């Protein structure tokens, strides 16, 4: 699956140290991620329909495994260093210059979370499609 753009916005709270600097702040953030390729594999199986005594079975996706590749990443953490107008932009610039490398560090966790979300979504959709379970049996 190809996704041209994902925009994530929220509020962050950050505290810690990077090299010799204490980094911290609270404020809005955004991630603008572009040209996302998502590849996945899964297994279909049948299971007893929950809360059903008829013996009918439903199709169930068993753990979608996801691999994600991105081509573009832009990040902004606003109000870093409590709004310091020198250090905040420097850190944001470093994050943006190293976006691909930073994504590689968090990629396994992101792929796992996306896989779990997609597994729930697909199972919700196919739970009422009886013909899929019939084909599998």
């Amino acid at each position: 699956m190809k996704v041209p753009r994902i925009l994530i916005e929220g509020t962050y709270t950050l505290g810690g140290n990077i090299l010799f600097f204490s980094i911290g702040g609270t404020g809005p953030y955004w991630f603008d991620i572009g040209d996302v390729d998502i590849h996945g594999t899964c297994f279909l199986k049948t299971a007893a329909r929950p809360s059903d005594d008829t013996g009918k079975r439903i199709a169930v996706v068993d753990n979608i495994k996801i691999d994600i590749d991105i081509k573009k990443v832009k990040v902004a953490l606003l109000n870093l260093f409590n709004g310091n107008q020198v250090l905040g932009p420097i850190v944001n610039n470093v994050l943006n210059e190293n976006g691909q490398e930073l994504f590689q560090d968090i990629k396994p966790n992101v792929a796992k979370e996306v896989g779990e979300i997609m597994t729930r979504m697909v199972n919700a959709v196919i739970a009422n499609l009886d013909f899929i379970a019939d084909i599998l049996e």
Side-chain angles (χ1 to χ4, degrees):
M1 172 170 59
K2 292 189 180 284
V3 180
R5 183 177 184 210
I6 299 172
L7 182 61
I8 303 168
E9 297 176 326
T11 303
Y12 76 92
T13 299
L14 179 65
N17 295 310
I18 297 178
L19 298 175
F20 306 110
F21 295 101
S22 175
I23 184 170
T26 299
Y29 72 86
W30 56 259
F31 287 86
D32 191 353
I33 304 166
D35 296 329
V36 180
D37 289 324
I38 302 172
H39 304 275
T41 58
C42 68
F43 294 97
L44 281 173
K45 63 181 182 180
T46 61
R49 183 181 296 276
S51 325
D52 188 348
D53 296 333
T54 65
K56 290 279 290 178
R57 299 182 68 75
I58 60 171
V60 177
V61 170
D62 188 25
N63 195 10
I64 297 177
K65 301 279 186 197
I66 298 292
D67 184 36
I68 301 173
D69 289 308
I70 60 171
K71 301 223 177 8
K72 301 175 190 171
V73 181
K74 289 193 178 195
V75 180
L77 300 172
L78 306 178
N79 200 43
L80 273 173
F81 303 102
N82 297 316
N84 183 305
Q85 295 300 308
V86 175
L87 294 177
I90 290 171
V91 170
N92 278 306
N93 190 42
V94 169
L95 290 172
N96 284 302
E97 286 180 5
N98 297 288
Q100 286 291 339
E101 292 81 8
L102 293 170
F103 179 73
Q104 292 305 315
D105 288 341
I106 64 169
K107 181 178 175 177
N109 291 334
V110 171
K112 181 177 182 240
E113 291 294 323
V114 170
E116 290 173 1
I117 291 167
M118 290 184 76
T119 298
R120 288 192 301 272
M121 289 173 46
V122 170
N123 281 329
V125 169
I126 66 174
N128 296 312
L129 302 176
D130 294 332
F131 72 91
I132 295 176
D134 294 341
I135 292 169
L136 293 173
E137 291 185 326

